[in-house]
Amino acid sequence: MVGVVTKMTKSVMRSKKTIYLYLVILAIAIAYTINSVSTVAVAASSITFGLPLAMAAMVGIMCERTGVVNIGIEGTLLTSSFFGFFVAALSQNLIWGLIAAIASGAATGLLLALLTVSWKMDQIIAGTIVNILATGLTSFFYKQGYSLPAIFPRWSIPGLAEIPFLGRVLFQSGPITYFGLIFILVLYFAIYHTPWGLRTRAIGEHPSSADTSGISVLRIKYTNVVIAGAFGGLTGAYLTLELVGSFDRGFSAGKGFTALAIMIFGRWNPIGALLAAVFFGFAQALANQLMIDGLVNIPGPFINMLPYVLTIVVLAFSAGKVRGPAAAGQPYEREKA
Amino acid sequence: MRFIRAWITPLIALFIAFAIGAILMITQGSDPVKAYQSLFTTAFSTQEGLAKTFGKATPLAISGLAVVIGLRAGLFNIGAQGQLISGALAAAWAGYAITGLPMIAHVPLCLLIGGFFGSIVGYIAGALKAYRGIHEVITTIMLNSIVLQLAEYLSNGPLKEEGSIIARTPEVLDTAKIGSVAGLPIGFFLSGLLALGVWWIFKKTTTGFRFETVGKNKNAAWYAGIAVKRNTVFAMVACGALAGFGGAVETLGVVGKFEPAFNQGLGFDGITIALLARANPLAVIPGAILFGGMRGAGPTMQFSAGVSPEIIDLILAIVLFFVTAPIISRILKLKNDTTTQVTSGWGSN
Amino acid sequence: MATLLQVKNLTKSFGSVIANNNISFEVNAGEIVALLGENGAGKSTLVKSVFGLLRPDQGEIYIDGKQMAPGDTAAVIASGVGMVHQHFQLVPVMSVTENIILGDEPKDGIFISIKKAEKKVRALSEKFGLAVDPTANIEDLPVGMQQRVEILKALSKDVRLLIFDEPTAVLTPQETDELILVIKNLAQLGVGVIVITHKLREVMALADRVVVLRDGKVVGTTTPKQSDEAGLAQMMVGRNVVLEVSKGAANPGQPVLSVKGLEVFDDRKLLAVKGVDLQVRSGEILGIAGVEGNGQRELVEAICGMRVRAKGEVLVGGMGTKDMHPHAVHEAGLSHIPEDREKHGLVSSYSIADNLILNRFDQQPFARGWFRNMSAIKKNADLLVKKFDIRTTSPAALASALSGGNKQKVVIARELSQDLQVLVAAQPTRGVDVGSIEFIHKQLIAARDGGAGVLLVSAELDEIISLSDRIAVMSGGIIVATIDNKNADRDYLGRLMAGLSA
Ligand SMILES: Nc1ncnc2c1ncn2[C@@H]1O[C@H](COP(=O)(O)OP(=O)(O)O)[C@@H](O)[C@H]1O
Ligand SMILES: [Mg+2]
């Protein structure tokens, strides 16, 4: 583990892209000296806005790396924030809400796996079914007038929280934020450096070569899609139990789709997607801050559409150039190998 | 036999969905018989209810057709919603801002403008797909949100009715309104004509054959001399124009102005209808009537049986599930009961 | 000798096709068994069942006397069986090492130890004398090298039974000889080997025992000593084989296809065709012989307008075809039987009738202006279905319902039913049953006799020899020699194909 990490760090230090890292640090430093309050606020909101997108993008990455296109992330987010909210509100216990969110997210993953892996349905239509079922379910069972006992508290990490800038931006966050960030890093190492990751990538690229190597394609696909669903459930829990504290019809507001764009922008790589998501979060946070500081006056609808416009623009420049897992979207049929 | 085969899965799906709906009502302490009875009698037997049913069915049918064209051309157009809204808003603007025209000119002009603005939204998605390889599902969903925000801005700003508290445009002029005959909205007949037109295009014309070949095998289409990219764009433009036209019909025939709160969810019902109709344009019409009835009369279930109208959302979702998932055909051992295939990669052409 | 593998009464069908019909055979340790049979005889199906990739309908498989659960590849691998697949089972974007360790990864804690893995690959590579670069990406390797990786992958576990499914199809005769040595060495070490092939020469050179399959049944078991090539051929086909296709003398006229100085890149942006000149005259068949992957595919695609030409020109009937779309080249008089008929030749969810007009759907009489003329389309289909002996219930049936041979006939019917000066046939009989092969060969000759110039590209040397009037041998992206068919001789051609100056 340590070996891998040091090797990684070394290769990052040597990589040409490091120049961008320095530029970003420089820009932050300049902004911080000019206006430290707004800079911290923007940076912190970039993480707050970006994290759910990054987490949702992990759902997409885990699925597509195993050859399943998941357009139902939106439905997973909606379902899990619904169950997270109502179970927490009814039991007046956030932990039950968290469990319910994760379980319901996993259930949406299971449904997607059943439709696409076992029944070999068109994956785009299967994802759409997940979304429409989620919308129907949550709008029928939705009731007004419930509220949470609280939201997950922020945990200041002793020592780290006192670091200027970084402390406020990263180390005074809620538990799901910490877990989500760690999970993204772990997923990165798992995908590129563990047997599970190698097998997963092989299935996403060329499933019959995994099959002929004695790997159970079916089992890995199911496992990954269900775990991805559970993680999507955690994302839903983050939105409702840690970030917002309420639930409404259509609560997920397209984040599941934006996450797909982020997955592509981040080249199906967890770290890449995390950076892409923070960039999205940053764009939104910056627009908000400029409004708050009274520097610009953009009508609300234009601020609201920013992530969507950004999604299209980013895809227009990044899609086509990057290659996703070759077998994503195709059901694997042994007898046709 | 073929006929039965085409219809049996949708019918069973409907039956199962209503049955599940009934069970849910029972668990909530409501009487499903009463609820369904009021739903169907209101929707399909009163004069007023029928007018409402067909009024609701009109944009549903047209957005369903917009999705059908896409499916036939291998595109999954989730963007009927945004295309429709942009058509509805444009038609509203043309309906009140352009004055001095006789009805015979004003109505078609508004419809055309609606179709044109819908087609712009379709064009963006089509061009991004053809020339940048971005999957239409993502672009159309993003465009849905963008168009909605734009429409909210416009109807609450530059195009807002003076003195209104809520976001909406002024009422369209009388010369731009589409009326009804025999209690049924004229718009509905228009949607029937459109369905026939789309059916005929796919059955009889080279354009339909081009779309369909591109949808079924892009490589073979390219090899046979069909311009794949151009036809992809063209198909999306046709989808958008149709949906925009549907929005215009909705504005001129039902709402009379543009209000962002209306039109919600029409595009998504259009998807369900198109898949329920198995991408057959003619089958879209009965599907739209059924959905229109349920959407129109849904609220009556609240009064008669205390069932929240959102049950309709759930029932329709279950219908979609059973129509597209190969469960029924597996149980009945129907062969060749293939569901639609629209998947293509994110970054490929 | 110990019996390693025993297959008892194995039956496997796909729909109505019985691919394996009550097959029994066995392999002993140290023995090389050749499975011989025509395309479609059921050889691949049989070994896939043995390897646990297919579930047989009936029958039992024993390895070391232990019965294997059907469809359990992992268990089969664990009991020491390795397989080199007909279609390589390698992940193109991964490295040689990653591919070899897939499924059995050396670890360092929970992480894969790439160091250990590369060491293992180097050791394997040395032990069996198969040199590879462990860090290279599969997609950057030539086919022959990919096969080495495939073999090393199979050998990377402790194998005692190794299955080769048509391993020589992509190799030059020299590489084939090397592979034969490798296989013999393995047998010496006590490994049992199954080799699938339909090449008789290899069987004679290699096998201790030959099991002949025909139409899914074992029709005989023999040894090379007890039989000769002609006898094996007869067993394989079930009748006296006429390798000779009856055709009259060619009557060549003017050149109808001229290729001058053509250079073409392949998908990996490497130069695959390195300056090819050739001419096909009307009324003759020019065959292109060569081991697959020597630029034939790129050559054909460039001629037909499907691939960008880096340099050079292609004249069809004297007309330049620079930057033309394939359809325009087609309109210029070049008909083409594409190598990948499912991808380019057919829309399988369309009816046979629509497929028969696929590239003329907007022309008279199949369309009048914007409208399609259904009665003309139907008439055309009725005519061609009869003329080209397409076996179907109705021209309205979907192309997907046809067998491989009949699908190919649909493509050929379409391509030959229009005005043509040139016919380019790429692997026209691949995956096609014997009956259809004969029919297709006759059609190619008929096209020649009708005055077309035919360019035939095939990986089957026998097909080239029996059909062509002249033979051009392609190797390493160039035409190394063009000879008259009278002078054709397998060994000579083989040496040319290998790129040796003969
Ligand atoms: N997955 C499959 N689905 C349907 N038919 C198949 C499949 N695999 C093989 N077949 C059919 O089974 C027969 C035997 O095929 P195969 O074992 O590949 O032959 P061989 O390897 O001897 O050329 C052929 O008729 C082929 O078309
Ligand atoms: Mg085979």
Side-chain angles (χ1 to χ4, degrees), chain C residues 43-44 86 165-166:
Chain C
K43 308 178 297 288
S44 294
Q86 183 170 9
D165 193 353
E166 306 225 11

Side-chain angles (χ1 to χ4, degrees), chain A residues 335-336, chain C residues 14 17 19 38-46 86 166:
Chain A
E335 307 251 310
K336 286 211 174 133
Chain C
F14 298 103
V17 179
E38 283 198 299
N39 266 335
K43 308 178 297 288
S44 294
T45 304
L46 179 58
Q86 183 170 9
E166 306 225 11

Side-chain angles (χ1 to χ4, degrees), chain A residues 64 69 71 122 128-129 257 316, chain B residues 76 132 137 141 324 342-343 346:
Chain A
E64 293 215 0
V69 170
I71 203 149
D122 182 282
T128 304
I129 287 187
F257 300 112
Chain B
F76 197 33
R132 309 289 331 178
V137 166
I141 286 169
T324 49
V342 290
T343 298
W346 300 121

Side-chain angles (χ1 to χ4, degrees), chain C residues 298-358:
Chain C
E298 289 77 11
L299 173 67
V300 166
E301 289 180 352
I303 289 176
C304 299
M306 298 167 74
R307 188 177 278 276
V308 180
R309 301 163 188 162
K311 252 196 210 139
E313 59 178 341
V314 176
L315 305 176
V316 174
M319 194 173 90
T321 57
K322 192 168 186 289
D323 295 335
M324 272 192 185
H325 185 278
H327 189 58
V329 179
H330 194 274
E331 295 291 282
L334 180 141
S335 281
H336 175 205
I337 302 166
E339 177 176 345
D340 191 340
R341 63 174 166 265
E342 302 281 343
K343 186 172 174 188
H344 293 116
L346 294 167
V347 176
S348 47
S349 50
Y350 270 167
S351 67
I352 295 167
D354 276 340
N355 272 297
L356 284 168
I357 52 131
L358 200 56

